[in-house]
Amino acid sequence: MSPRLIIALALAGIVALGAGAVWLVVQPRALGKSGGSASIVQLTFAEERREHRQKFFSGDPERDIRGGEVMKPRW
């Protein structure tokens, strides 16, 4: 491979990575600013994730865990 080809490929890779980084930074802001259904979908998805996290980490309110049993190692 010639040095010019290597430099051209490296520059093309750098430009592609830069374009991808800019797209990732700009895209979420564009979705939030648009008044269309995309922001509604985004809010609904965030609400679902929040509910799922709350259900997962809250535990069972009926179960008493205060007086628990000491865990013993299995040898």
Side-chain angles (χ1 to χ4, degrees):
M1 283 183 139
S2 69
R4 286 185 181 177
L5 181 61
I6 293 173
I7 292 172
L9 289 174
L11 285 175
I14 290 170
V15 169
L17 285 174
V22 168
W23 181 73
L24 287 175
V25 169
V26 171
Q27 182 194 15
R29 292 182 186 162
L31 281 178
K33 289 180 182 175
S34 69
S37 64
S39 60
I40 295 170
V41 171
Q42 190 76 9
L43 288 175
T44 306
F45 181 67
E47 188 72 22
E48 287 177 9
R49 289 183 67 191
R50 186 187 61 75
E51 272 184 34
H52 177 72
R53 270 189 245 120
Q54 190 173 8
K55 280 176 59 178
F56 182 79
F57 288 113
S58 65
D60 188 8
E62 301 295 322
R63 186 176 296 174
D64 181 27
I65 57 169
R66 291 192 182 114
E69 186 177 321
V70 178
M71 293 183 66
K72 299 175 185 169
R74 294 183 185 178
W75 299 101

